[in-house]
């Protein structure tokens, strides 16, 4: 018995050690996968990338923008899914108002975000044409599966085909195209990415009408087959014009010194004595190392990334829910679902198309605005506008103002599209061009979260109130949802305030007893904890109190002096690291 027990204990220890080694091996594999995010082409590939469209046309930077717009235009057809909800529900259940076709849209966007997060490092380390072709083939396969699903009237197969399979294609193709386009324009990333993403909004604008025309002219299975084939052909031709920029086209890391500062540091002062004492004469750093390398793991562990994540989630949740439910809301509040049925002043499918137009406008307009005003300032402006819009939407509903409601929704849609247009440039500026696809992919899980959780909460609240006696024409079943959306948007605005968007804010030297630092009206505000605090002055008749906190509001001169001292230290470190190599 003793030998058997000892053998059993030994076996259990060996099994446990094997499991631990397996877990460590898997963890190391994952960390290694997320640690390499740089595309390293061979010399032959660099020469090949000088030509596009099967090697027949010499590559020009501007070619990536129209190609990216067309590819995103086809992927943007997912935004017109609401046109399918009624016909699919009627086909499956016999009632267009009953069924679960809406869930397909949530699944597709949910899978999109997860796929983008998982495939981000792989997309970054591979040729954009390779990942783009894989994305469009998978997207086409999802359409074929969806055609079969509606033909056999199997809703679960539709979830798998359009929700899961097409969602994977969306995740791969969306990220690879946008990031490939933005890398060609390092000084106007917001505008370049906004132009590419503009196609995604344009897809909603066009495919709302195209989907309705195809459904009325043919049938649902043939509609999916035609749409899939059309998208496949257009994207396959367009992807041939997508090519990565040559090595050295983008800064290798996050820019520490802007061009003005760099020139100032390189030139130095004209006075030799002053130049020797002046910490601004940092020629070694400015000339040799004007950028800072940020690894993907550092980016994903930083608080700024997750604050930006919450802000991005807040920016999209309202419109994402509205996009998939706009026909239902219009019909219930202003159309045939009213207590006194009447046609809405504008058909729902036209309202969805126009919403797609504002979505498209916001993507390119806000991207351009972020290049001029700065990413953080622009993002705060978007969130502030959405807070105002969500606050006034219930007022428009209670006033039975159809056009007031639509104008507010369209205004929020501009902000919604704008967030998507500038977010690739935002993460590229903060964490470096080599981390763009990976960080962008993880951020897109907020898209998934907002679509799935937001959509389910909206539908759940709506169904709960209706099951307790409410009617679809009563405003409170919608305003109840707008209340929690407003709360999420306010939280996102506060989180965006604390995002340290510039490398200067993130690397600014912290004091040992510093508790909080943020920038207010362009100046640094610090809160210091005084562990060995001296007692405060005691007023007559008062009690002795300890001064536990100290607040500092640095002047621009104080901030500049501290920043230059940090840069001087980095310059010394950089030179010491170079000396062994020089020897």
């Amino acid at each position: 018995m003793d030998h058997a027990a000892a053998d059993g204990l030994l076996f259990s220890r060996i099994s446990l050690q094997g499991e631990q080694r397996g877990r460590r091996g898997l963890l190391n594999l994952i960390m290694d996968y997320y640690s390499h995010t740089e595309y390293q082409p061979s010399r032959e590939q660099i020469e090949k990338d000088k030509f596009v469209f099967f090697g027949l046309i010499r590559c020009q930077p501007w070619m990536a923008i129209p190609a990216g717009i067309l590819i995103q235009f086809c992927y943007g057809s997912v935004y017109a899914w609401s046109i399918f909800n009624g016909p699919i529900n009627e086909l499956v259940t016999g009632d267009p108002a009953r069924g679960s076709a809406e869930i397909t849209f949530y699944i597709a966007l949910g899978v999109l975000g997860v796929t983008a997060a998982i495939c981000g490092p792989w997309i970054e380390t591979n040729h954009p044409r390779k990942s783009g072709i894989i994305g469009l083939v998978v997207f086409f396969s999802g359409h074929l599966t969806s055609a079969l699903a509606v033909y056999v009237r199997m809703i679960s197969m539709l979830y798998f085909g359009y929700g899961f399979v097409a969602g994977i294609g969306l995740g791969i193709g969306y990220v690879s195209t946008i990031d490939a386009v933005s890398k060609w324009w390092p000084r106007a990333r917001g505008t370049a990415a906004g132009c590419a993403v503009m196609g995604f909004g344009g897809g909603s604008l066009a495919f709302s009408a195209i989907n309705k025309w195809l459904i009325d002219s043919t049938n649902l299975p043939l509609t999916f087959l035609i749409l899939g084939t059309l998208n496949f052909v257009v994207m396959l031709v367009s992807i041939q014009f997508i090519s990565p920029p040559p090595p050295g086209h983008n800064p290798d890391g996050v820019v520490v010194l802007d061009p003005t500062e760099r020139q100032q540091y390189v030139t130095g002062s004209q006075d030799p004595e002053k130049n020797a004492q002046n910490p601004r004469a940092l020629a070694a750093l400015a000339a040799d190392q004007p950028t800072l390398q940020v690894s993907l793991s550092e980016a994903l562990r930083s608080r700024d990334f997750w604050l930006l994540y919450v802000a991005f989630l807040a920016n999209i949740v309202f419109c994402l829910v509205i996009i998939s439910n706009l026909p239902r809301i219009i019909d219930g509040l202003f159309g045939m679902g009213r207590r006194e049925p009447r046609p809405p002043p504008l058909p729902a499918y036209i309202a969805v198309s126009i919403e797609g137009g504002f979505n498209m406008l916001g993507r390119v307009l806000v991207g351009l605005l972020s290049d001029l005003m700065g990413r953080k300032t622009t993002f705060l402006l978007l969130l502030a506008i959405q807070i105002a819009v969500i606050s006034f939407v219930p007022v428009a509903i209670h006033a039975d103002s159809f056009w007031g409601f639509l104008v507010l929704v369209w205004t929020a849609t501009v902000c919604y599209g704008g967030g998507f247009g500038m977010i690739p440039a935002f993460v590229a500026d903060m964490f470096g061009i080599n981390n763009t696809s990976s960080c962008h992919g993880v951020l897109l899980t907020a898209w998934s979260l907002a679509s799935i959780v937001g959509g389910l909460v909206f539908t759940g609240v709506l169904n709960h109130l209706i099951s307790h006696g409410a009617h679809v024409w009563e405003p409170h079943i919608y305003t109840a949802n707008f209340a929690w959306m407003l709360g999420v948007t306010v939280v996102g605005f506060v989180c965006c305030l604390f995002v340290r968007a510039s490398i200067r804010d993130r690397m600014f030297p912290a004091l040992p007893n510093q508790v909080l630092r943020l920038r207010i009206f362009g100046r640094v505000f610090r809160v210091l904890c005084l562990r060995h605090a001296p007692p405060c002055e005691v007023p007559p008749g008062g009690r002795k109190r300890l001064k536990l906190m100290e607040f500092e509001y640095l002047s621009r001169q104080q901030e500049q002096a501290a920043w230059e001292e940090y840069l001087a230290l980095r310059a010394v470190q950089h030179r010491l690291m170079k000396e062994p190599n020089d020897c």
Side-chain angles (χ1 to χ4, degrees):
M1 294 291 294
D2 294 339
H3 288 291
D7 291 342
L9 181 60
L10 179 61
F11 178 77
S12 64
R13 287 178 178 176
I14 294 174
S15 300
L16 181 61
Q17 291 174 355
E19 290 179 5
Q20 290 175 345
R21 282 196 297 270
R23 290 171 184 170
R24 286 197 297 269
L26 179 61
L27 181 61
N28 291 335
L29 185 64
I30 294 173
M31 292 184 65
D32 183 67
Y33 173 70
Y34 278 91
S35 298
H36 298 86
T37 58
E38 184 178 358
Y39 174 57
Q40 297 178 335
S42 62
R43 289 188 177 182
E44 293 78 10
Q45 186 61 54
I46 294 173
E47 291 299 318
K48 287 182 180 179
D49 288 337
K50 292 180 180 179
F51 296 87
V52 293
F53 199 69
F54 307 104
L56 300 176
I57 303 174
R58 189 166 188 85
C59 181
Q60 300 294 334
W62 64 265
M63 293 178 178
I65 291 182
I69 291 174
L70 285 174
I71 294 171
Q72 291 296 313
F73 177 84
C74 295
Y75 283 128
S77 60
V78 69
Y79 269 169
W81 178 261
S82 58
I83 303 300
F84 286 116
N85 289 336
I88 291 176
N89 287 337
E90 185 175 11
L91 181 68
V92 175
T93 66
D95 185 354
R98 295 178 57 194
S100 306
E102 296 87 352
I103 297 177
T104 310
F105 177 77
Y106 302 139
I107 295 175
L109 293 190
V111 173
L112 184 158
V114 174
T115 302
I118 294 174
C119 296
W122 175 81
I123 293 172
E124 197 71 71
T125 54
N126 283 272
H127 198 286
R129 197 177 302 136
K130 175 182 177 181
S131 55
I133 290 176
I134 291 175
L136 68 90
V137 168
V138 177
F139 190 61
F140 177 57
S141 303
H143 278 78
L144 297 182
T145 310
S146 302
L148 179 60
V150 293
Y151 180 77
V152 299
R153 302 186 183 187
M154 187 180 295
I155 195 72
S156 58
M157 185 184 293
L158 181 66
Y159 294 160
F160 174 77
Y162 200 93
F164 184 74
V165 178
I168 292 176
L170 273 168
I172 297 174
Y174 182 88
V175 173
S176 63
T177 306
I178 294 172
D179 294 343
V181 172
S182 63
K183 286 177 181 178
W184 276 104
W185 306 88
R187 295 188 179 180
R189 288 196 187 110
T191 305
C195 286
V197 185
M198 176 182 68
F200 205 87
S204 172
L205 175 65
F207 280 98
S208 296
I210 293 173
N211 291 353
K212 188 175 187 306
W213 179 79
L214 285 173
I215 292 171
D216 294 339
S217 303
T218 59
N219 54 55
L220 279 172
L222 193 56
T223 296
F224 279 105
L225 187 61
I226 293 173
L227 285 176
T229 304
L230 176 65
N231 289 336
F232 178 79
V233 172
V234 172
M235 288 193 289
L236 187 61
V237 173
S238 300
I239 198 68
Q240 304 305 323
F241 292 91
I242 296 293
S243 184
H249 189 79
N250 287 279
D252 186 21
V254 181
V255 176
V256 176
L257 307 175
D258 62 41
T260 303
E261 282 184 315
R262 186 180 178 188
Q263 182 63 33
Q264 204 168 20
Y265 291 150
V266 171
T267 305
S269 173
Q270 299 297 325
D271 183 358
E273 295 183 2
K274 185 177 180 181
N275 194 42
Q277 301 175 355
N278 191 353
R280 298 175 68 88
L282 305 171
L285 177 65
D288 299 338
Q289 197 188 32
T291 61
L292 179 68
Q293 292 292 336
V294 178
S295 68
L296 179 60
S297 59
E298 289 175 328
L300 297 181
R301 287 199 307 264
S302 69
R303 66 162 184 167
D304 302 286
F305 178 84
W306 294 106
L307 288 171
L308 182 61
Y309 185 97
V310 176
F312 180 59
L313 173 69
N315 181 67
I316 64 178
V317 66
F318 172 71
C319 280
L320 196 55
V321 173
I322 293 296
I323 284 173
S324 59
N325 291 279
L326 188 58
R328 181 179 186 178
I329 296 173
I330 289 176
D331 185 69
L333 291 174
F334 307 103
M336 301 305 292
R338 291 168 56 98
R339 184 194 297 267
E340 301 174 354
R342 68 183 183 193
L346 186 72
Y349 77 92
I350 296 180
V352 172
S353 296
I354 296 175
E355 185 179 30
F358 282 102
N359 189 350
M360 178 174 63
L361 176 66
R363 292 171 186 246
V364 64
L365 183 63
V366 174
L368 173 61
L369 195 64
S370 72
D371 286 334
L372 301 175
M373 292 178 53
R375 317 291 182 209
K376 182 177 176 178
T377 303
T378 306
F379 215 91
L380 285 170
L381 179 62
L382 299 184
L383 290 167
I385 293 173
Q386 290 211 64
I387 289 173
V389 165
I390 301 173
S391 301
F392 282 102
V393 162
V395 177
I397 291 176
H398 283 287
D400 197 25
S401 174
F402 174 78
W403 292 108
F405 169 77
L406 277 188
V407 167
L408 288 170
V409 169
W410 291 338
T411 302
T413 303
V414 172
C415 301
Y416 167 81
F420 281 103
M422 65 170 288
I423 204 68
F426 208 158
V427 296
D429 290 350
M430 289 179 64
F431 305 114
I433 196 68
N434 290 332
N435 294 319
T436 303
S437 294
S438 303
C439 291
H440 189 196
V442 175
L443 279 172
L444 290 182
T445 59
W447 196 1
S448 305
L449 188 64
S451 63
I452 295 175
V453 178
L456 292 178
V457 170
F458 180 88
T459 304
V461 171
L462 209 65
N463 292 339
H464 173 76
L465 294 175
I466 291 175
S467 66
H468 283 73
H471 299 89
V472 293
W473 64 75
E474 296 181 25
H476 76 276
I477 67 173
Y478 302 101
T479 55
N481 275 298
F482 297 147
W484 66 262
M485 293 180 195
L486 178 61
V488 171
T489 310
V490 170
V491 170
F493 182 86
V494 174
C495 287
C496 191
L497 282 174
F498 288 92
V499 172
R500 297 170 298 180
S502 70
I503 190 67
R504 181 168 183 159
D505 286 339
R506 295 201 301 279
M507 302 302 296
F508 193 81
L511 297 180
N513 56 340
Q514 180 176 296
V515 177
L516 175 68
R517 183 185 75 237
L518 65 154
R519 186 173 295 277
I520 301 177
F521 300 116
R523 291 171 58 185
V524 173
F525 174 75
R526 291 195 292 205
V527 179
L528 307 178
C529 176
L530 305 180
R531 296 176 182 175
H532 305 288
C536 298
E537 295 183 7
V538 183
R543 299 173 58 187
K544 182 180 291 186
R545 294 182 293 109
L546 290 178
K547 184 179 180 182
L548 301 179
M549 307 292 286
E550 183 175 332
F551 305 95
E552 291 184 352
Y553 196 39
L554 301 185
S555 66
R556 298 188 185 279
Q557 292 77 15
Q558 290 174 318
E559 177 190 343
Q560 187 68 17
W563 178 242
E564 289 174 348
E565 184 179 354
Y566 166 75
L567 290 180
L569 180 60
R570 273 203 60 204
V572 173
Q573 293 173 337
H574 175 62
R575 180 160 292 181
L576 290 175
M577 291 177 64
K578 285 186 63 180
E579 283 179 357
N581 297 328
D582 296 339
C583 296

